[in-house]
Amino acid sequence: MATPQDSSGTPPTAIVCVGMAGSGKTTFMQRINAHLHAQKEKPYVINLDPAVRTVPFETNIDIRESVNYKEVMKSYNLGPNGGILTSLNLFATKIDQILNFIEKRSVPDPEEPQRKPIKKILIDTPGQIEVFVWSASGSIILDSLASSCPTVIAYIIDTPRTASTSTFMSNMLYACSILYKTKLPMILVFNKTDVKDAEFAKEWMTDFESFQAALREEEEAGSFGGIEGGGMGGGSGYMGSLLNSMSLMLEEFYSHLSVVGVSSMTGQGITEFFDAVDEKAKEFERDYKPELERRKKQREEDKLANREKELGKLMKDMAVSGEPSTRKQPVPDMDTLSDMEDEQEDDEGDDEEKEVDDEGLSTRYKQALNESGGSTKKEDDYSFARYLRASQMNI
């Protein structure tokens, strides 16, 4: 499918919101949706959470209209997470239709000239983050979007719950795994800044010594990781050493992220968030898109090589490649040996003609396979068999 573009030639940017349950992801979706409407830039909104009861914003595509989550659980005898995963799998089979809808809305409509092409695509995902990020359906959806338009991951973090060094580091490791799993540009969104300011988190990400000081303070106070007392105090313990090591390791990881603090309740930081989205969209075109195209080209080359390999095996099995058959020949009786020697001279001429015919057939078959795009469908196999019979070949 062609990359959808508006009248200015710029494709829309897809923002995929992921986050832990309770991080305020759906409220954040509502806020950025309202912000774009206020800016007269109506977004294209997609809900991928089949288990949500109500969605506090208008959607263009809702998975609940295509897949009944409760019926999926009953039909396949699944639990809540299995029902969400299966619903996503069923919905992913329609990804081509979704991309067609997006493409139509990304260009001016002659029938509705007053309607502006979309510039932002907002996608809400299930609260069970691993069901989307690490599932086959999630990969299909993200890869399909990334092949059509710039795609940015917005990882929503509950700021008040990240105040301790251990929970902060857990969130950073989770973000790291999502970044390297999706291979897409990411924005860390520290939500609920109206409850707790996110400056401490930004400082921990940019100043290693600041994080070390906070870690020592928690250990000395005996409240390391939110646990009072125990063997964690006094600046010793396995967890303290582990967090020290991980904070050093993640310094390079932090440099690839954009960090914004927002409040979904008050709207604070939303403008900075969209500024980060625009920067990440440029980064996608500059750094990520060439890598995606390289991987796509590699898959096509592997597919072509596999097709040639299968063609060679087919030719060898059917003995049309000119190579001698590996089938074991019966040992002739001594009484008929002299008769076979007499017939051998007569067969030599026929064998030469057969080799020429086989080589010509192999060439014609390869040419026909290339013209047809290398299809391996069953009906193509039948047509090939008819072609051999028409050529009076003995298989």
Side-chain angles (χ1 to χ4, degrees):
M1 190 188 80
T3 301
Q5 296 182 348
D6 60 14
S7 57
S8 64
T10 303
T13 302
I15 304 172
V16 183
C17 296
V18 300
M20 302 285 190
S23 61
K25 179 168 51 62
T26 301
T27 310
F28 174 76
M29 277 282 299
Q30 182 185 19
R31 173 58 64 179
I32 61 177
N33 181 42
H35 177 84
L36 290 173
H37 276 84
Q39 299 295 323
K40 306 300 181 183
E41 294 184 7
K42 188 176 181 180
Y44 197 84
V45 184
I46 302 175
N47 172 46
L48 295 181
D49 190 351
V52 66
R53 290 189 176 182
T54 58
V55 177
F57 45 82
E58 183 181 355
T59 61
N60 297 94
I61 296 177
D62 195 331
I63 188 175
R64 297 176 301 169
E65 297 177 357
S66 302
V67 182
N68 190 319
Y69 165 68
K70 292 185 178 180
E71 289 299 323
V72 168
M73 289 177 61
K74 292 179 182 178
S75 300
Y76 296 96
N77 193 25
L78 299 170
N81 290 340
I84 294 174
L85 178 59
T86 304
S87 297
L88 280 172
N89 290 340
L90 295 172
F91 187 76
T93 61
K94 304 179 181 180
I95 187 63
D96 56 332
Q97 300 177 30
I98 297 173
L99 296 180
N100 287 333
F101 291 146
I102 294 175
E103 183 179 10
K104 291 178 181 178
R105 290 296 307 274
S106 303
V107 295
D109 189 353
E111 298 180 358
E112 298 183 36
Q114 73 282 0
R115 189 178 68 182
K116 296 181 180 180
I118 60 172
K119 295 183 179 180
K120 295 291 187 297
I121 305 167
L122 308 182
I123 302 171
D124 194 14
T125 60
Q128 289 80 351
I129 186 172
E130 66 280 355
V131 170
F132 178 79
V133 175
W134 280 276
S135 66
S137 55
S139 298
I140 291 172
I141 293 172
L142 288 177
D143 290 346
S144 300
L145 280 172
S147 65
S148 302
C149 56
T151 304
V152 178
I153 302 294
Y155 179 50
I156 317 301
I157 299 174
D158 188 342
T159 307
R161 295 183 181 178
T162 317
S164 69
T165 55
S166 58
T167 53
F168 170 82
M169 189 57 63
S170 297
N171 267 292
M172 294 302 101
L173 290 175
Y174 219 105
C176 180
S177 64
I178 294 173
L179 176 66
Y180 289 105
K181 175 63 173 66
T182 61
K183 295 181 176 63
L184 293 171
M186 176 184 287
I187 302 173
L188 292 187
V189 181
F190 284 91
N191 197 14
K192 306 180 183 180
T193 55
D194 55 310
V195 179
K196 184 173 180 59
D197 197 342
E199 287 303 318
F200 76 94
K202 296 179 182 179
E203 185 179 1
W204 286 354
M205 294 179 67
T206 55
D207 187 354
F208 170 75
E209 293 182 356
S210 175
F211 180 81
Q212 295 291 315
L215 180 60
R216 286 193 300 269
E217 183 179 347
E218 288 186 7
E219 291 177 326
E220 292 172 357
S223 59
F224 181 78
I227 301 175
E228 298 293 341
M232 295 292 186
S236 62
Y238 167 75
M239 282 299 296
S241 175
L242 178 62
L243 290 181
N244 271 315
S245 301
M246 287 192 295
S247 61
L248 285 171
M249 178 193 70
L250 292 178
E251 276 192 311
E252 178 67 20
F253 166 68
Y254 294 151
S255 64
H256 296 285
L257 300 177
S258 293
V259 183
V260 294
V262 304
S263 172
S264 299
M265 294 298 295
T266 65
Q268 178 186 0
I270 297 299
T271 302
E272 290 78 2
F273 169 76
F274 280 106
D275 291 341
V277 168
D278 294 337
E279 288 297 323
K280 287 299 177 181
K282 296 177 183 178
E283 182 181 326
F284 176 91
E285 295 287 350
R286 183 182 67 250
D287 300 329
Y288 287 81
K289 189 175 180 179
E291 174 63 17
L292 292 174
E293 292 177 349
R294 186 196 65 79
R295 287 158 54 191
K296 181 180 179 181
K297 182 179 179 181
Q298 183 63 41
R299 287 195 298 267
E300 291 175 351
E301 292 176 353
D302 293 342
K303 182 179 179 181
L304 179 61
N306 185 63
R307 188 182 68 186
E308 293 292 335
K309 181 180 179 181
E310 293 298 324
L311 173 60
K313 290 173 60 178
L314 178 63
M315 290 298 183
K316 184 175 181 180
D317 292 342
M318 301 181 67
V320 292
S321 61
E323 297 179 3
S325 175
T326 57
R327 184 181 303 172
K328 186 177 181 180
Q329 300 293 335
V331 180
D333 296 334
M334 294 302 295
D335 295 338
T336 60
L337 184 59
S338 58
D339 295 334
M340 291 179 61
E341 291 175 351
D342 295 336
E343 295 174 357
Q344 185 175 3
E345 295 179 359
D346 297 333
D347 292 340
E348 287 179 354
D350 296 338
D351 290 342
E352 293 177 358
E353 295 179 1
K354 184 177 179 181
E355 289 178 0
V356 174
D357 292 341
D358 289 349
E359 292 176 359
L361 177 59
S362 176
T363 303
R364 292 197 300 273
Y365 177 56
K366 290 181 178 179
Q367 181 180 358
L369 184 62
N370 291 330
E371 292 176 354
S372 63
S375 177
T376 58
K377 295 183 178 178
K378 191 173 182 181
E379 53 267 25
D380 293 340
D381 296 337
Y382 290 154
S383 64
F384 177 59
R386 289 196 296 270
Y387 178 75
L388 292 180
R389 288 198 295 270
S391 302
Q392 296 182 354
M393 288 212 48
N394 296 321
I395 300 176

